[in-house]
Amino acid sequence: MTLGRVLRNGTLTVLAVLWLVPTWLLVVNALVPAGSYSGSPHWLPRDFGLFDNMSQAWDRARLGPAFGNSLLYAVVSALAAVAVATLAAFATIVMPVKRQVLWFWVIYSGTLLPLQVFIRPLFLSYAETSLYDTQIGLVLIYTAIAVPFAFFVMRNYALTLPREVVEAARMDGASWWRVFWNIHVPLSRSAMIAVFVFQFVAVWNDLMFGITLTTSRNIRPVMAALADLQGNYSNVGPPIVLAGALLVSLPTLVLFFSAQRFFISSLKMHH
């Protein structure tokens, strides 16, 4: 085994351990029955109280409506971002549009500033336009922040698609819309699914906009509800909070592993 391979495997092992340690602590301490938690973290599993902890987290934080809200925000925003990004990638790469590089930077520039910069102007504008504390308001902002990265991925994937197919279809008289729907979309399906997974996870895990642009329990996403569990109930111990964190993470884990083959294939160059 070469030195380079040893260094690579060693680095990957260290990174895996660094990622697994906090995950292990989260799982082990979520297993501890809330009534027997001593206040210090457990490193090895002892008793099993996970389901009871999850049940208490679900009831006390009222996670049911929050789950529905986050599912709505994540699905609608991710789908809208994928649709917009796929159309934009088609327009800037496949269609004969002038200043393609300029359009790329105009759209992608949305990722260059930290999201915290937008909090104050968003709060003020939402309050003035009655979008504050509404589901449509969160859908709009989640879609807007998801488009730039989605466009970046879809544009790069579009660069690998065969141009000969498009040229042949145009010579046969196909309209741009037909080329997009019948050729570009089927060829880009794996990348579209991968982008959907990315954006679904990003929206599902958002806390900042959820606590800034909403106040009502029937509007707040699941991460904001989970934050309320720790902030508003001083008698709730860490095992219940950690069990709640595991519970709200399940949809993203299921989605990622169910779409794993599309995610992997989208990372490969199209030949």
Side-chain angles (χ1 to χ4, degrees):
M1 184 178 293
T2 63
L3 178 60
R5 180 172 296 182
V6 171
L7 291 175
R8 182 187 63 185
N9 293 341
T11 302
L12 292 175
T13 301
V14 171
L15 291 176
V17 170
L18 290 176
W19 180 84
L20 286 173
V21 166
T23 305
W24 171 259
L25 284 173
L26 186 150
V27 173
V28 168
N29 287 274
L31 295 174
V32 179
S36 62
Y37 187 74
S38 62
S40 59
H42 292 215
W43 283 91
L44 294 174
R46 298 177 184 176
D47 301 323
F48 187 85
L50 177 63
F51 295 144
D52 182 62
N53 292 340
M54 285 184 172
S55 177
Q56 291 192 55
W58 182 274
D59 293 336
R60 297 194 182 193
R62 301 177 187 176
L63 292 179
F67 253 81
N69 290 334
S70 282
L71 189 63
L72 171 68
Y73 303 147
V75 171
V76 174
S77 300
L79 286 176
V82 169
V84 172
T86 306
L87 284 167
F90 179 79
T92 56
I93 298 301
V94 180
M95 296 180 68
V97 176
K98 296 181 179 179
R99 300 181 179 88
Q100 294 182 352
V101 176
L102 175 62
W103 283 113
F104 165 75
W105 283 110
V106 167
I107 300 175
Y108 183 67
S109 61
T111 64
L112 301 181
L113 294 175
L115 295 179
Q116 290 82 352
V117 173
F118 305 110
I119 288 296
R120 177 177 171 77
L122 271 175
F123 178 83
L124 295 176
S125 60
Y126 267 42
E128 293 177 357
T129 57
S130 300
L131 287 173
Y132 182 78
D133 200 30
T134 62
Q135 290 181 328
I136 185 63
L138 282 183
V139 168
L140 288 175
I141 184 58
Y142 285 143
T143 302
I145 64 176
V147 166
F149 178 76
F151 169 69
F152 175 78
V153 176
M154 295 307 304
R155 175 188 178 274
N156 288 348
Y157 192 81
L159 289 171
T160 69
L161 300 179
R163 300 297 297 270
E164 296 82 5
V165 179
V166 174
E167 294 172 357
R170 290 292 293 169
M171 291 181 64
D172 290 340
S175 64
W176 283 117
W177 173 250
R178 186 173 182 181
V179 171
F180 171 78
W181 190 250
N182 292 340
I183 297 177
H184 186 77
V185 169
L187 291 176
S188 304
R189 185 173 292 121
S190 61
M192 294 170 67
I193 295 175
V195 169
F196 175 84
V197 172
F198 268 123
Q199 302 309 324
F200 181 98
V201 172
V203 173
W204 185 274
N205 290 333
D206 172 72
L207 174 63
M208 182 176 63
F209 290 111
I211 63 176
T212 304
L213 301 179
T214 65
T215 55
S216 304
R217 285 186 175 272
N218 61 334
I219 302 296
R220 282 200 156 183
V222 70
M223 291 302 168
L226 187 64
D228 284 343
L229 176 66
Q230 189 172 14
N232 295 341
Y233 298 93
S234 58
N235 61 333
V236 171
I240 295 178
V241 177
L242 295 176
L246 281 178
L247 184 62
V248 301
S249 299
L250 291 179
T252 58
L253 291 175
V254 171
L255 177 63
F256 178 81
F257 285 110
S258 63
Q260 188 176 14
R261 64 187 183 93
F262 297 102
F263 175 77
I264 294 174
S265 63
S266 70
L267 298 179
K268 299 177 181 178
M269 294 295 291
H270 184 86
H271 297 286

